[in-house]
């Protein structure tokens, strides 16, 4: 279980450095501007993610569609969530910002801890040799950058912990139900709901399956994965809150 490969060290670490510098520059430039101005970088990133996904779906259709390319992966949540955060101005804006910030923080932590799980070294090596490799690397780096932008530009301002935790838990649980259903209907490993990408845990899943049967094992496995996803996103939410507090304090948001 190699968390970081040499390819990730050579590419991702410098990329993180560049992202941090850009985030700091944008904070100094836009940090005291109105919300509508501070949201522009996030709106750009959200649009880029959507354009990248449109490109992936188009290329997949041309090449002969691969069911794995359907957006039922955990990181695919940002395809819906980040544009909503970037452009939504309704009365539930603060809660939406809190939930999406936690999702972005989740992707950031996954990339920081175990990038080889998110995309393997082969995607880095073949970055210029195929759109899917290019998409995978750029998409997840932009997702990582979106969290840095959220922290730097602090669009949320004040928070409502109880509502945000509840909304985040329900949202991730709902995603788990959808992803698990589609994974088993299409026999495709969306969000690790069908099999496990971590070899030692996949061996354990197979061993349990041999002991108690496939159906009980999958029910147990999916339940555990859903609980872990909820737990991880809640942990990421508190990580986001900690970083937000350290950098921005308890600044109130009065922008419309």
């Amino acid at each position: 279980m190699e968390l970081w490969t040499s390819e990730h060290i050579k590419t991702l670490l410098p990329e993180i450095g560049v992202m941090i510098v850009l985030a700091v520059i944008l904070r100094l430039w836009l940090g005291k501007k109105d919300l509508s101005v501070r949201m522009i970088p996030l709106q750009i990133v959200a649009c880029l993610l959507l354009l990248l996904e449109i490109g992936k779906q188009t290329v997949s259709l041309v090449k002969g569609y691969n069911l794995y390319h359907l957006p039922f992966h955990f990181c695919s949540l940002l395809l819906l969530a980040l544009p909503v955060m970037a452009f939504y101005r309704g009365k539930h804006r603060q809660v939406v910002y809190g939930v999406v910030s936690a999702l972005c923080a989740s992707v950031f932590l996954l990339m920081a801890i175990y990038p080889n799980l998110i995309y393997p070294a082969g995607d880095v090596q073949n970055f210029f040799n195929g759109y899917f490799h290019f998409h995978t690397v750029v998409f997840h780096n932009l997702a990582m950058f979106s969290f840095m932008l959220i922290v730097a530009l602090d669009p949320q301002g004040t928070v409502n912990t109880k509502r945000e935790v509840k909304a985040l838990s329900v949202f991730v649980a709902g995603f788990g139900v959808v992803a698990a259903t589609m994974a088993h209907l299409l026999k495709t490993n969306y969000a690790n709901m069908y099999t496990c990408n971590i070899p030692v845990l996949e061996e354990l899943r197979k061993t349990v399956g041999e002991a108690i049967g496939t159906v009980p094992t999958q029910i147990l496995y999916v339940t555990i994965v859903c609980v872990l996803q909820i737990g991880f996103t809640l942990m990421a939410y508190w990580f986001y809150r900690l970083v937000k507090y350290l950098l921005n304090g308890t600044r109130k948001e009065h922008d419309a």
Side-chain angles (χ1 to χ4, degrees):
M1 190 173 73
E2 190 176 10
L3 303 182
W4 284 70
T5 68
S6 60
E7 285 79 5
H8 290 97
I9 293 172
K10 294 175 183 176
T11 59
L12 186 54
L13 285 181
E15 288 162 5
I16 291 174
V18 171
M19 292 179 202
I20 291 173
V21 171
L22 288 175
V24 170
I25 291 173
L26 288 171
R27 180 182 176 87
L28 294 173
W29 184 26
L30 304 177
K32 297 186 182 300
K33 302 289 186 180
D34 290 340
L35 178 64
S36 58
V37 177
R38 300 203 312 274
M39 291 303 294
I40 291 175
L42 280 167
Q43 291 170 347
I44 293 172
V45 171
C47 290
L48 287 174
L49 291 181
L50 288 173
L51 289 173
L52 284 167
E53 186 65 20
I54 291 171
K56 184 181 81 172
Q57 299 299 327
T58 301
V59 173
S60 189
L61 283 170
V62 170
K63 290 180 174 292
Y65 199 79
N66 184 340
L67 292 175
Y68 189 75
H69 293 153
L70 287 172
F72 296 114
H73 305 279
F74 182 82
C75 294
S76 299
L77 282 172
L78 295 189
L79 290 171
L80 168 66
L82 196 61
V84 170
M85 178 183 186
F87 294 98
Y88 178 67
R89 294 293 182 272
K91 64 179 182 178
H92 302 294
R93 172 168 59 85
Q94 300 299 91
V95 175
V96 169
Y97 284 11
V99 170
V100 179
S101 296
L103 296 176
C104 292
S106 299
V107 177
F108 175 87
L109 288 174
L110 286 170
M111 286 284 288
I113 297 169
Y114 196 174
N116 196 33
L117 178 67
I118 306 302
Y119 59 80
D123 284 322
V124 179
Q125 295 166 346
N126 294 288
F127 181 79
F128 296 106
N129 296 330
Y131 183 80
F132 298 129
H133 301 295
F134 165 83
H135 171 277
T136 300
V137 174
V138 175
F139 182 95
H140 290 97
N141 277 268
L142 283 175
M144 199 177 199
F145 185 46
S146 67
F147 176 67
M148 297 184 189
L149 289 176
I150 289 170
V151 170
L153 300 174
D154 191 29
Q156 186 182 21
T158 56
V159 298
N160 186 322
T161 303
K162 186 176 180 180
R163 289 185 64 198
E164 290 166 20
V165 166
K166 181 179 179 180
L168 178 62
S169 300
V170 171
F171 185 79
V172 177
F175 162 76
V177 171
V178 172
T181 300
M182 296 306 298
H184 286 81
L185 286 176
L186 301 178
K187 301 186 185 305
T188 305
N189 194 31
Y190 303 119
N192 272 315
M193 291 293 185
Y194 195 60
T195 58
C196 187
N197 287 342
I198 302 175
V200 63
L201 297 181
E202 176 60 11
E203 288 302 316
L204 177 60
R205 185 190 69 85
K206 291 178 178 179
T207 300
V208 173
E210 293 172 356
I212 67 174
T214 301
V215 173
T217 298
Q218 287 305 103
I219 293 174
L220 176 62
Y221 173 72
V222 167
T223 302
I224 292 173
V225 172
C226 286
V227 170
L228 289 175
Q229 286 183 345
I230 294 171
F232 184 77
T233 52
L234 288 175
M235 181 191 72
Y237 171 77
W238 287 108
F239 170 74
Y240 153 68
R241 286 285 301 276
L242 175 62
V243 176
K244 170 182 164 61
Y245 178 77
L246 291 175
L247 290 182
N248 302 306
T250 56
R251 187 188 72 178
K252 293 184 178 180
E253 182 60 76
H254 300 290
D255 298 314

